[in-house]
Structures are given as C-alpha cells and as structure tokens.
Amino acid sequence: MNKRAVGILGTGSYMPERIVTNKDLEKTMETSDEWIVSRTGIGARRVAAPEEATSDLAAEAGRRALLDANVNAEELDLIIVATVSPDMAFPSTACLVQAQLGAKRAAAFDISVACSGFIYGMSIAQQFIQTGLYQKVLVVGAETLSRFISWDDRKTGMLFGDGAGAAVLGETAEGFGILGLDMGADGSGAELLKIPAGGSREPASLASVKERGHIIHMDGSEVFKFAVKVMGESALRALEAAGLTTADLALLVPHQANIRIIQSAVKRLGMTMDKIMVNVDRYGNTSAASIPIALDEAAKQGRFKTGDTIGLCGFGAGLTWGSAIIKWSR
Ligand code: UT7
C-alpha cells in the first residue's frame, strides 16, 4: 500500500517588535558593528518584550500558520514545539501553546534538538500522518534565546535572537510534500554548545548564577567547522533519499547561524547564493525557529511556487543535524 503523502499546508511566523542592532551591542560588549557583520553577517536581532515568553511567540506563529493553512485550531491532532528555551522545565511549551490556541483535541509535546528541531519535528509529524493516526499536526520552532545570553559576553551575545516559525502538516497530493529526509546526531560533541547549569547535572544555585552557568557556552570555531561539513552532507543525503540532486532545487532554506557557514556549505554543494534564503542579517540565529521563519518569509516573498522542490537543512547543539526535501503542494 502506498504511504500517504505528507506536506506543508500553511506556514506562519512571529518576530518580536524590539530590534537590537550591532551598534546597540557596541555599548555593552567589546565589539564593533564591522566585526559582527564581517564574521557573521548579522546586522540586528529581535528581542522579546519582558512579558513575552517562548509559548507566546510560538502561539502567535501557530495562529498565523493555521490561518494560512485554513485549518481551525480544533482540527489539530498534535502540537510539537521544538525549543531549547522553553517557558519552564515543565509543563512543556507545547501544552501552553495548546491552551493559548484552544486546540482542545490536540496532544502536545516539546522536542529538544536545538537548531535542527524543526526538521526533527516535521519528521515526527510525517510518521503520524502517514500511518493515518493523525490528520493535522502543528510543528513550531520557537526560541527566546535573549534570555540565555549576556550582552557583555562577546563570544555568544551577538549571535542569537528571538522569534518563532510554524507549519501545519497534513496529507497532500501523491508525489508532493516531503520527498526525502535526513537526521542525525553526534553526542560526543555535546560539550561544544550548551547551557551547563539549571538541569539535574548542575542545579541552579547562587554559585551557578555567579559562574554564569545559565547562559550559552560555545566553542565557536569547532561548531563552525562541524556546521560547514554537516550541512552540505546532510542536504545531499536527503536529496539522495528523494532521488534528486541540487540542480532540482528551486530554493534551499538553511539554518541561519552565520552567513559564512551558509556560504561555505553552499559552495560545497555547488550551488549559487541566488537559490539560498538568507535572513540572518535581520534576525541573527534563532535556533529551532530559524528554518521555519526563513521558510515562511520565502513563501510569502514568492521565492518558490506550487510544484517547486525546496530543501531545508540545519545543524545545532547535541550535536544534531537534519534536512528535508519538499515538493511544494500549495
Ligand atoms: O546554531 C549553531 C550556533 N553556533 C554557531 O553557529 C557558531 C559557529 N561559529 C561562529 O559563528 C564563529 O566561530 C564566531 C562568530 C562565534 C566567531 O568567529 P570566528 O571567526 O571563529 O572568530 P574567533 O572566535 O576565531 O575569534 C577571532 C578574534 C579573536 O581575537 P584574537 O584572539 O584573534 O585577538 C576573538 O577574541 O576575534 C575576537 N572576537 C571578537 N571581536 C569582536 C571574538 N568575538 C568577538 C566579537 N567582537 N563579538
């Protein structure tokens, strides 16, 4: 029996209003606009209002994706939120989103896959829809990483931003939707990118706060090397699973971490930048939210049309990676 084809029925994103530019950061950390732009391509990032938490951003992106897909919240069978900056350790951010949306029928859970989270979330949604158990699944990538950095730490403080992106997945016409997927992890690189304290290994204490254990710690250059290699390799594996090559892609939507990482991966793939979606200049790295935000913007800008094949690819803490090849069906 043929498996059901699973596609994206609608997308949405929500970016907090407040913009923090590199010039603003010059006031709090030893850096310069010129350094940040030349090393990362980032010009500004969005920052959530004090009363906004990850679930608020996620719910708004979810509302917009539901509207775009013409699906009611009550029709949702499942909500998956990919995040590493949840409102709290528990309950899950997905449960808070379920309540905000009024998605009474939906099961809800979070996944912690850092920047690869949206691809992992899509793959989970695909399994449930393929088997026929569920019809409509909302996958959200949402982060408020501004709460887990310090604007006097130049190693990570200039990289990250807040935002949320979402997609409604459901059955689509045969031959359309998700054509190929690739996911992987290498936990031996767990130390390279982490928030060390606040969990069971190092519970929150006065000392953990003093030692800055609750903000992101990163070995930037090691993550950089890993990212360049794995993004291209993963995208190629997903293309192979779909029986396609880079020449078949109308657009590639990579994780928006650093323009130099994107450029190097694109070069390895033998592609040109005109086929690559980039918004890292405006939003910085929004981790799990980055791919669905960029996908939603690309869709709204008309960067691809029905019948086009697009690629999504990302990497992140864990270490993790993931790619998806999608024949756009709406
Ligand atoms: O979603 C995954 C998340 N993580 C990533 O994607 C991170 C990947 N890594 C990177 O994007 C880059 O490694 C960084 C942007 C973090 C750093 O860029 P880099 O080109 O690897 O710089 P570096 O760490 O090798 O530092 C070069 C110099 C150093 O000075 P010296 O030792 O050469 O005198 C740093 O101290 O630049 C200095 N530096 C800075 N200067 C001004 C490091 N950060 C800054 C800064 N402003 N913000």
Side-chain angles (χ1 to χ4, degrees):
M1 197 183 79
N2 271 351
K3 283 182 184 160
R4 297 161 98 201
V6 178
I8 290 179
L9 310 180
T11 60
S13 59
Y14 171 72
M15 302 308 294
E17 263 172 44
R18 185 176 165 209
I19 298 171
V20 171
T21 65
N22 296 343
K23 283 273 171 215
D24 295 327
L25 294 185
E26 283 180 0
K27 293 173 199 145
T28 57
M29 73 173 76
E30 210 184 307
T31 191
S32 65
D33 175 48
E34 194 273 327
W35 191 97
I36 301 173
V37 170
S38 66
R39 298 291 180 122
T40 70
I42 298 167
R45 68 285 294 142
R46 296 297 177 95
V47 174
E51 69 280 7
E52 276 180 323
T54 297
S55 65
D56 303 314
L57 275 51
E60 190 50 39
R63 250 178 232 118
R64 293 176 186 188
L66 287 167
L67 208 63
D68 193 46
N70 202 17
V71 168
N72 292 321
E74 301 83 50
E75 290 176 65
L76 287 176
D77 300 296
L78 174 64
I79 298 172
I80 303 170
V81 175
T83 185
V84 288
S85 47
D87 286 30
M88 50 195 133
F90 68 86
S92 70
T93 300
C95 282
L96 305 174
V97 171
Q98 189 242 24
Q100 280 208 40
L101 293 178
K104 294 194 180 74
R105 291 180 49 247
F109 61 82
D110 288 359
I111 56 172
S112 172
V113 202
C115 312
S116 319
F118 184 73
I119 308 276
Y120 272 59
M122 272 191 11
S123 80
I124 299 168
Q126 183 197 30
Q127 307 311 307
F128 280 114
I129 298 164
Q130 260 181 358
T131 59
L133 187 66
Y134 289 155
Q135 310 303 319
K136 302 278 189 301
V137 179
L138 178 68
V139 182
V140 190
E143 305 283 7
T144 45
L145 287 174
S146 66
R147 309 266 154 82
F148 299 90
I149 52 172
S150 174
W151 282 337
D152 62 5
D153 174 15
R154 71 177 191 173
K155 279 187 159 174
T156 58
M158 73 298 173
L159 287 178
F160 297 99
D162 303 341
V168 179
L169 275 77
E171 187 174 8
T172 192
E174 211 182 312
F176 287 80
I178 301 170
L179 304 180
L181 273 168
D182 175 66
M183 291 188 296
D186 177 6
S188 70
E191 289 299 311
L192 297 179
L193 184 49
K194 62 179 182 179
I195 297 174
S200 60
R201 177 75 58 195
E202 197 185 333
S205 64
L206 284 176
S208 72
V209 173
K210 259 194 202 150
E211 287 155 17
R212 311 194 114 192
H214 300 275
I215 62 169
I216 296 174
H217 290 236
M218 179 178 71
D219 182 335
S221 63
E222 283 305 310
V223 174
F224 192 104
K225 280 185 239 160
F226 155 75
V228 168
K229 189 167 169 290
V230 82
M231 276 230 286
E233 287 175 358
S234 174
L236 287 178
R237 279 193 297 269
L239 277 165
E240 199 184 330
L244 299 172
T245 70
T246 49
D248 297 305
L249 293 179
L251 190 75
L252 181 66
V253 182
H255 169 44
Q256 308 285 313
N258 180 323
I259 193 67
R260 287 162 54 219
I261 293 176
I262 295 174
Q263 285 163 342
S264 306
V266 165
K267 204 169 156 200
R268 281 176 178 231
L269 284 167
M271 294 181 72
T272 47
M273 286 303 286
D274 57 313
K275 285 196 170 178
I276 311 300
M277 179 63 194
V278 174
N279 63 12
V280 69
D281 50 326
R282 287 178 287 131
Y283 301 145
N285 182 346
T286 57
S287 190
S290 121
I291 291 176
I293 292 167
L295 174 66
D296 181 50
E297 287 201 341
K300 304 281 148 67
Q301 288 168 11
R303 295 283 302 266
F304 51 84
K305 56 184 189 313
T306 305
D308 278 349
T309 302
I310 62 167
L312 315 178
C313 65
F315 67 92
L319 298 165
T320 56
W321 56 89
S323 298
I325 307 300
I326 302 168
K327 188 162 179 176
W328 202 249
S329 49
R330 28 181 342 257

